[in-house]
Amino acid sequence: MDPNTKILIVGAGCFGTSTAYHLAQRGFTSVRVLDRYPAPSCEAASTDISKIIRSDYNEPLYARLGIEAIAAWQSEDLFRDLYHVPGWVLSAYKLSCAFVEGSIETSTKLGVKGLERLSPQQIRERFPLVTGKLDGWNVNVWNPTAGWAAAGEALRRMAVAAQEKGVEYISGEQGWVRRLVFDEEGRCTGVVTADGSTQVADLVVVAAGAWTPSLLDVAGQLTAKGHSVAHIQLSPAEMVHYSAFPIMDNLELGYFFPPQTDGVFKMAHSQFITNMQTDAESGITTSIPHTFVQSPQDDLPLEIEAQMRRNLRRVLPELADRPFCYTRLCWDADTADRHFLISPHPDHQGLYLAAGGSAHGFKFLPVLGKYIADLLEGTLEPEIACKWQWRPGQTVTAKNLAHLDPELELSELTGWEGRKTRERGSRL
């Protein structure tokens, strides 16, 4: 591919920014990244205080990529001081047991050192900070090589590095892509943004995360799903007390991080939310993200918060009734088989998809764009291309996937609309 090829990337999250960075590394001179928000895009799933970095997968491809990414997190100056390794306990209650068992098998085959099966009692003995009963933590594996990264800062640094190599980032109304443009033969020739202007390109890469299926008809291959995140502010003394806490992730009962240096304790709920709507511009009816950036008066549904507090009580009961100082619905686009959708569009020349993070994409930030650039250049390994290909109508019956809980529809949950406004008023 000619290095002067005009490339538009729609979306400044993990997939888009990593692609832009690696294209710039390869000498491409005309790369633009469009997003509604400046980098790091505040709505991107990756823009967060922390994300888990691990190689625990029952799918060998992602285990291998996870090991490759961890090496980059550890060695590259770009990520200096952003990667931390407290180790993690990966667990399952019922539906995710097969995924955890498969992860143990795959990691062992790949030579991951230090894996240990632990009972709830052994977890409490190893980490006396864990005072809960750990009921529902039925299959557990300790992996000392897993850690977390300061996700939003990593994304920001990579975006800055891409810009220093000539990538142009455009935000605001000029960066908010509302529709794609096609010529008479169906070739994608650019995009129209919210200000009404048209940007033309030789190649368009749609990396819009959870907004991808409402921008472009993806034949049901992507579903926007949100999971609920909350922070608890700890005191300085509590921060010291919990400093040795590992990452704990029960794929059905939520996950919990060690506190940040500012005392913020992060937790999340593992059951996902959908929001079926019709996009006013594209006319596509699908799940569309509802975020607290767009609707700052809203908050977590009451049922979700109650479940999050029950889950926390299983691990750290002394924190279970503490107020949340921050909440978020974090949205990503899921595929049915959890493989990414990184593929040329079969009907529109010049159009590529790079989405389907399926709640596990960020950890590959350092290396993911390398593989997407390979796809654009026609050199992606056939085995990987097959797993990431355009695959509509797929029937998935596998029982060894993560996050098999049925989704909850936002409109069927209660208390979230205007909740912050109501609760703020009740305190006055």
Side-chain angles (χ1 to χ4, degrees), residues 306-365:
Q307 184 61 52
M308 292 176 75
R309 292 188 180 282
R310 285 194 292 271
N311 291 340
L312 182 55
R313 189 166 279 109
R314 300 169 191 259
V315 182
L316 299 171
E318 67 275 14
L319 298 180
D321 296 317
R322 293 280 288 272
F324 293 159
C325 63
Y326 172 82
T327 55
R328 180 191 188 195
L329 287 179
C330 179
W331 292 86
D332 200 357
D334 280 21
T335 61
D337 60 8
R338 309 301 188 265
H339 285 303
F340 301 151
L341 179 59
I342 299 176
S343 169
H345 194 287
D347 300 323
H348 300 292
Q349 190 176 357
L351 178 61
Y352 291 79
L353 278 295
S358 302
H360 72 105
F362 172 79
K363 65 182 64 63
F364 307 112
L365 175 74

Coordinates of all heavy atoms in Angstrom, one line a residue, residues 306-365:
A306 N -27.6 -2.4 43.7 CA -27.8 -3.3 44.8 C -27.0 -4.6 44.6 O -26.4 -5.2 45.5 CB -29.3 -3.6 44.9
Q307 N -27.0 -5.1 43.3 CA -26.2 -6.3 43.0 C -24.7 -6.1 43.2 O -24.0 -6.9 43.7 CB -26.5 -6.8 41.6 CG -25.8 -8.1 41.3 CD -26.2 -9.3 42.2 OE1 -27.4 -9.5 42.4 NE2 -25.3 -10.0 42.8
M308 N -24.2 -4.9 42.8 CA -22.8 -4.6 43.0 C -22.4 -4.6 44.4 O -21.3 -5.1 44.8 CB -22.5 -3.2 42.3 CG -22.6 -3.2 40.8 SD -22.3 -1.6 40.1 CE -20.5 -1.5 40.3
R309 N -23.3 -4.1 45.3 CA -23.0 -4.0 46.7 C -23.1 -5.4 47.3 O -22.3 -5.8 48.2 CB -24.0 -3.1 47.4 CG -23.7 -1.6 47.0 CD -24.6 -0.6 47.8 NE -24.3 0.7 47.4 CZ -23.2 1.5 47.7 NH1 -22.3 0.9 48.5 NH2 -23.1 2.7 47.3
R310 N -24.0 -6.3 46.8 CA -24.0 -7.7 47.3 C -22.7 -8.4 46.9 O -22.1 -9.1 47.7 CB -25.2 -8.4 46.7 CG -26.5 -8.0 47.4 CD -27.6 -9.0 47.0 NE -28.0 -8.9 45.6 CZ -29.0 -8.1 45.1 NH1 -29.6 -7.3 46.0 NH2 -29.2 -8.1 43.8
N311 N -22.2 -8.1 45.7 CA -21.0 -8.7 45.2 C -19.8 -8.3 46.0 O -18.9 -9.0 46.4 CB -20.8 -8.4 43.7 CG -21.8 -9.1 42.8 OD1 -22.4 -10.1 43.2 ND2 -21.9 -8.6 41.6
L312 N -19.8 -7.0 46.4 CA -18.7 -6.4 47.2 C -18.7 -7.0 48.6 O -17.7 -7.3 49.2 CB -18.8 -4.9 47.2 CG -17.7 -4.2 48.0 CD1 -16.3 -4.6 47.5 CD2 -17.9 -2.7 47.9
R313 N -19.9 -7.3 49.1 CA -20.0 -7.8 50.4 C -19.5 -9.3 50.5 O -19.0 -9.7 51.5 CB -21.5 -7.8 50.9 CG -21.7 -8.2 52.3 CD -23.1 -7.9 52.8 NE -23.2 -6.4 53.1 CZ -23.9 -5.5 52.4 NH1 -24.5 -5.9 51.3 NH2 -23.9 -4.3 52.8
R314 N -19.4 -10.0 49.3 CA -18.8 -11.3 49.3 C -17.3 -11.2 49.5 O -16.7 -12.2 49.8 CB -19.1 -12.0 47.9 CG -20.6 -12.2 47.6 CD -20.8 -12.6 46.2 NE -22.1 -12.6 45.7 CZ -22.9 -13.6 45.5 NH1 -22.4 -14.8 45.9 NH2 -24.1 -13.5 45.1
V315 N -16.7 -10.1 49.2 CA -15.3 -9.9 49.2 C -14.8 -9.0 50.3 O -13.9 -9.4 51.1 CB -14.8 -9.4 47.8 CG1 -13.3 -9.3 47.8 CG2 -15.3 -10.3 46.7
L316 N -15.3 -7.8 50.3 CA -14.9 -6.8 51.3 C -16.1 -6.2 52.0 O -16.6 -5.1 51.6 CB -14.0 -5.7 50.7 CG -12.7 -6.1 50.0 CD1 -12.1 -5.0 49.2 CD2 -11.7 -6.7 51.0
P317 N -16.8 -7.0 52.9 CA -18.1 -6.5 53.4 C -18.0 -5.2 54.1 O -19.0 -4.5 54.1 CB -18.5 -7.6 54.4 CG -17.2 -8.4 54.7 CD -16.4 -8.3 53.4
E318 N -16.9 -4.8 54.6 CA -16.8 -3.5 55.3 C -16.9 -2.3 54.4 O -17.2 -1.2 54.9 CB -15.4 -3.5 56.1 CG -14.2 -3.4 55.2 CD -13.7 -4.8 54.8 OE1 -14.4 -5.8 54.9 OE2 -12.5 -4.8 54.3
L319 N -16.8 -2.5 53.1 CA -16.9 -1.4 52.2 C -18.3 -1.4 51.4 O -18.6 -0.5 50.7 CB -15.8 -1.5 51.1 CG -14.4 -1.3 51.6 CD1 -13.4 -1.4 50.4 CD2 -14.2 0.0 52.3
A320 N -19.1 -2.4 51.7 CA -20.2 -2.7 50.8 C -21.3 -1.6 50.9 O -22.1 -1.4 49.9 CB -20.9 -4.0 51.2
D321 N -21.3 -0.8 52.0 CA -22.3 0.2 52.1 C -21.8 1.6 51.9 O -22.5 2.6 52.2 CB -23.1 0.1 53.4 CG -23.8 -1.2 53.6 OD1 -24.5 -1.6 52.6 OD2 -23.7 -1.9 54.6
R322 N -20.5 1.7 51.5 CA -19.9 3.0 51.3 C -20.5 3.7 50.1 O -20.8 3.1 49.1 CB -18.4 2.9 51.2 CG -17.7 2.3 52.4 CD -17.5 3.4 53.4 NE -16.5 4.3 53.0 CZ -15.1 4.2 53.2 NH1 -14.7 3.1 53.9 NH2 -14.3 5.0 52.8
P323 N -20.6 5.1 50.1 CA -21.1 5.8 49.0 C -20.2 5.6 47.8 O -19.0 5.6 47.9 CB -21.2 7.2 49.5 CG -20.2 7.3 50.6 CD -20.2 6.0 51.2
F324 N -20.8 5.7 46.6 CA -20.0 5.7 45.4 C -19.7 7.1 45.0 O -20.6 8.0 45.0 CB -20.8 5.1 44.2 CG -21.0 3.6 44.3 CD1 -22.0 3.0 43.6 CD2 -20.2 2.8 45.1 CE1 -22.3 1.6 43.7 CE2 -20.4 1.4 45.2 CZ -21.5 0.8 44.5
C325 N -18.4 7.4 44.8 CA -18.0 8.8 44.4 C -18.0 9.0 42.9 O -17.9 10.2 42.4 CB -16.6 9.1 45.0 SG -15.3 8.1 44.4
Y326 N -18.2 7.9 42.1 CA -18.2 8.0 40.7 C -18.8 6.8 40.1 O -18.6 5.7 40.7 CB -16.7 8.1 40.1 CG -16.6 8.1 38.6 CD1 -16.9 9.2 37.8 CD2 -16.3 6.8 38.0 CE1 -16.8 9.1 36.4 CE2 -16.2 6.7 36.6 CZ -16.4 7.8 35.8 OH -16.3 7.8 34.5
T327 N -19.6 7.0 39.1 CA -20.2 5.8 38.4 C -20.2 6.0 36.9 O -20.1 7.1 36.4 CB -21.7 5.7 38.8 OG1 -22.4 6.9 38.6 CG2 -21.8 5.3 40.3
R328 N -20.2 4.9 36.2 CA -20.1 5.0 34.8 C -20.8 3.7 34.2 O -20.7 2.6 34.7 CB -18.7 5.0 34.3 CG -18.4 5.1 32.8 CD -17.0 4.9 32.4 NE -16.8 5.1 31.0 CZ -15.7 4.7 30.3 NH1 -14.7 4.1 31.0 NH2 -15.6 5.0 29.0
L329 N -21.4 3.9 33.0 CA -21.8 2.8 32.2 C -20.7 2.8 31.1 O -20.6 3.7 30.3 CB -23.2 3.0 31.6 CG -24.4 2.7 32.5 CD1 -25.7 2.9 31.8 CD2 -24.3 1.3 33.1
C330 N -19.9 1.8 31.1 CA -18.8 1.6 30.1 C -19.2 0.7 29.0 O -19.5 -0.5 29.2 CB -17.6 1.0 30.9 SG -16.1 0.8 29.8
W331 N -19.2 1.3 27.8 CA -19.8 0.6 26.6 C -18.8 0.0 25.7 O -17.8 0.7 25.4 CB -20.8 1.5 25.9 CG -22.0 1.9 26.6 CD1 -22.1 2.9 27.5 CD2 -23.2 1.2 26.6 NE1 -23.4 2.9 28.1 CE2 -24.1 1.9 27.5 CE3 -23.7 0.1 25.9 CZ2 -25.4 1.5 27.7 CZ3 -25.1 -0.2 26.0 CH2 -25.9 0.4 26.9
D332 N -19.0 -1.2 25.2 CA -18.1 -1.8 24.2 C -19.0 -2.5 23.2 O -20.2 -2.7 23.5 CB -17.1 -2.7 24.8 CG -15.9 -3.0 23.9 OD1 -15.9 -2.5 22.8 OD2 -15.0 -3.8 24.4
A333 N -18.5 -2.9 22.1 CA -19.3 -3.7 21.1 C -18.8 -5.2 21.2 O -17.6 -5.5 21.1 CB -19.0 -3.2 19.7
D334 N -19.8 -6.0 21.5 CA -19.5 -7.4 21.6 C -19.9 -8.2 20.4 O -20.9 -7.9 19.7 CB -20.3 -8.0 22.8 CG -19.7 -7.7 24.2 OD1 -18.9 -6.8 24.2 OD2 -20.0 -8.4 25.1
T335 N -19.1 -9.2 20.1 CA -19.4 -10.2 19.1 C -19.9 -11.5 19.8 O -19.6 -11.7 21.0 CB -18.2 -10.6 18.2 OG1 -17.2 -11.2 19.1 CG2 -17.7 -9.4 17.5
A336 N -20.7 -12.3 19.1 CA -21.2 -13.5 19.8 C -20.2 -14.5 20.2 O -20.3 -15.1 21.3 CB -22.2 -14.2 18.8
D337 N -19.1 -14.6 19.4 CA -18.0 -15.5 19.8 C -16.8 -14.9 20.5 O -15.9 -15.6 20.7 CB -17.6 -16.3 18.5 CG -17.0 -15.3 17.4 OD1 -16.8 -14.1 17.7 OD2 -16.7 -15.8 16.3
R338 N -16.9 -13.6 20.8 CA -15.9 -12.8 21.5 C -14.6 -12.6 20.7 O -13.7 -12.0 21.2 CB -15.5 -13.5 22.8 CG -16.7 -13.8 23.7 CD -17.5 -12.7 24.1 NE -18.5 -13.1 25.2 CZ -19.8 -13.5 24.9 NH1 -20.2 -13.5 23.7 NH2 -20.6 -13.8 25.9
H339 N -14.6 -13.1 19.4 CA -13.5 -12.7 18.5 C -13.7 -11.3 18.0 O -14.9 -10.9 17.8 CB -13.5 -13.7 17.3 CG -12.9 -15.0 17.6 ND1 -11.6 -15.2 18.2 CD2 -13.4 -16.3 17.5 CE1 -11.4 -16.5 18.3 NE2 -12.4 -17.2 17.9
F340 N -12.7 -10.6 17.8 CA -12.8 -9.2 17.2 C -13.4 -9.3 15.8 O -13.3 -10.3 15.1 CB -11.4 -8.6 17.1 CG -10.7 -8.4 18.5 CD1 -9.3 -8.4 18.6 CD2 -11.4 -8.3 19.7 CE1 -8.7 -8.3 19.8 CE2 -10.8 -8.2 20.9 CZ -9.4 -8.2 20.9
L341 N -13.9 -8.2 15.4 CA -14.4 -8.0 14.0 C -13.4 -7.0 13.3 O -13.6 -5.8 13.4 CB -15.8 -7.5 13.9 CG -16.4 -7.3 12.5 CD1 -16.3 -8.6 11.7 CD2 -17.8 -6.7 12.6
I342 N -12.4 -7.6 12.7 CA -11.3 -6.8 12.1 C -11.2 -7.3 10.7 O -10.6 -8.3 10.4 CB -10.0 -6.8 12.8 CG1 -10.2 -6.3 14.3 CG2 -8.9 -6.1 12.1 CD1 -8.9 -6.5 15.1
S343 N -11.9 -6.6 9.7 CA -12.1 -7.2 8.4 C -12.4 -6.1 7.4 O -13.0 -5.1 7.7 CB -13.3 -8.1 8.5 OG -13.8 -8.6 7.3
P344 N -12.1 -6.4 6.1 CA -12.7 -5.5 5.1 C -14.2 -5.8 5.0 O -14.6 -6.9 5.2 CB -11.9 -6.0 3.8 CG -11.5 -7.4 4.1 CD -11.2 -7.4 5.6
H345 N -14.9 -4.8 4.6 CA -16.3 -5.0 4.4 C -16.5 -5.7 3.0 O -15.9 -5.3 2.0 CB -17.1 -3.6 4.3 CG -18.5 -3.7 4.4 ND1 -19.3 -4.2 3.4 CD2 -19.4 -3.4 5.4 CE1 -20.6 -4.2 3.8 NE2 -20.7 -3.7 5.0
P346 N -17.3 -6.7 3.0 CA -17.4 -7.6 1.8 C -18.1 -6.8 0.6 O -17.9 -7.2 -0.5 CB -18.2 -8.8 2.2 CG -19.0 -8.3 3.4 CD -18.2 -7.3 4.1
D347 N -18.9 -5.8 0.9 CA -19.7 -5.2 -0.2 C -19.2 -3.8 -0.5 O -19.6 -3.2 -1.5 CB -21.1 -5.1 0.3 CG -21.7 -6.4 0.5 OD1 -21.4 -7.4 -0.2 OD2 -22.6 -6.6 1.5
H348 N -18.3 -3.2 0.3 CA -17.8 -1.8 0.0 C -16.3 -1.7 0.0 O -15.7 -1.8 1.1 CB -18.4 -0.9 1.1 CG -19.9 -0.9 1.2 ND1 -20.7 -0.4 0.2 CD2 -20.8 -1.4 2.1 CE1 -22.0 -0.5 0.5 NE2 -22.0 -1.1 1.7
Q349 N -15.8 -1.7 -1.1 CA -14.3 -1.5 -1.3 C -13.9 -0.2 -0.5 O -14.6 0.8 -0.5 CB -13.9 -1.4 -2.7 CG -12.4 -1.5 -3.0 CD -12.1 -1.5 -4.5 OE1 -13.0 -1.5 -5.3 NE2 -10.8 -1.6 -4.8
G350 N -12.7 -0.3 0.1 CA -12.2 0.8 0.8 C -12.7 1.0 2.2 O -12.3 1.9 2.9
L351 N -13.6 0.1 2.7 CA -14.1 0.2 4.0 C -13.7 -1.0 4.8 O -13.8 -2.2 4.4 CB -15.7 0.2 3.9 CG -16.4 0.3 5.3 CD1 -16.1 1.5 6.0 CD2 -17.9 0.2 5.0
Y352 N -13.2 -0.7 6.0 CA -12.7 -1.8 6.9 C -13.4 -1.6 8.3 O -13.7 -0.5 8.7 CB -11.2 -1.7 7.1 CG -10.4 -2.1 5.8 CD1 -10.3 -1.2 4.8 CD2 -9.9 -3.3 5.7 CE1 -9.6 -1.5 3.6 CE2 -9.2 -3.7 4.6 CZ -9.1 -2.8 3.5 OH -8.4 -3.1 2.4
L353 N -13.6 -2.7 9.0 CA -14.1 -2.7 10.4 C -13.0 -3.0 11.3 O -12.2 -4.0 11.0 CB -15.2 -3.7 10.5 CG -16.6 -3.3 10.1 CD1 -17.2 -2.2 11.0 CD2 -16.7 -3.0 8.6
A354 N -12.9 -2.3 12.4 CA -11.9 -2.7 13.5 C -12.6 -2.4 14.8 O -12.6 -1.4 15.4 CB -10.6 -1.9 13.4
A355 N -13.4 -3.4 15.3 CA -14.3 -3.3 16.4 C -14.5 -4.7 17.1 O -13.8 -5.6 16.7 CB -15.6 -2.6 16.0
G356 N -15.5 -4.7 18.0 CA -15.8 -6.0 18.6 C -14.8 -6.3 19.8 O -14.5 -7.5 20.0
G357 N -14.5 -5.3 20.5 CA -13.6 -5.5 21.7 C -14.1 -6.5 22.7 O -13.3 -7.1 23.4
S358 N -15.4 -6.6 22.8 CA -16.1 -7.7 23.6 C -15.5 -7.7 25.0 O -15.3 -8.8 25.6 CB -15.9 -9.0 22.9 OG -16.4 -9.0 21.6
A359 N -15.3 -6.5 25.6 CA -14.8 -6.3 27.0 C -13.5 -6.9 27.3 O -13.1 -7.1 28.4 CB -15.9 -6.9 27.9
H360 N -12.7 -7.1 26.2 CA -11.3 -7.6 26.5 C -10.3 -7.1 25.5 O -9.1 -7.6 25.5 CB -11.3 -9.2 26.5 CG -11.4 -9.8 25.1 ND1 -10.4 -10.4 24.4 CD2 -12.5 -10.0 24.3 CE1 -10.8 -10.8 23.3 NE2 -12.1 -10.6 23.2
G361 N -10.6 -6.0 24.8 CA -9.7 -5.5 23.8 C -8.5 -4.6 24.3 O -7.4 -4.6 23.7
F362 N -8.8 -3.9 25.4 CA -7.8 -2.8 25.8 C -6.4 -3.4 26.1 O -5.4 -2.8 25.7 CB -8.2 -2.0 27.0 CG -7.1 -1.1 27.5 CD1 -6.9 0.1 26.8 CD2 -6.3 -1.5 28.5 CE1 -5.8 0.9 27.2 CE2 -5.3 -0.6 28.9 CZ -5.0 0.6 28.3
K363 N -6.3 -4.5 26.7 CA -5.0 -5.1 27.1 C -4.0 -5.2 25.9 O -2.8 -5.2 26.1 CB -5.2 -6.4 27.8 CG -5.7 -7.5 26.9 CD -5.9 -8.8 27.6 CE -6.9 -8.7 28.7 NZ -8.3 -8.4 28.1
F364 N -4.6 -5.3 24.7 CA -3.7 -5.4 23.5 C -3.3 -4.1 22.9 O -2.8 -4.1 21.8 CB -4.5 -6.3 22.5 CG -5.0 -7.6 23.0 CD1 -6.3 -7.8 23.1 CD2 -4.1 -8.6 23.4 CE1 -6.8 -9.0 23.6 CE2 -4.5 -9.8 23.9 CZ -5.9 -10.0 24.0
L365 N -3.6 -3.0 23.6 CA -3.4 -1.6 23.0 C -2.0 -1.5 22.4 O -1.8 -1.0 21.3 CB -3.5 -0.6 24.1 CG -3.2 0.9 23.7 CD1 -4.2 1.5 22.7 CD2 -3.0 1.8 24.9

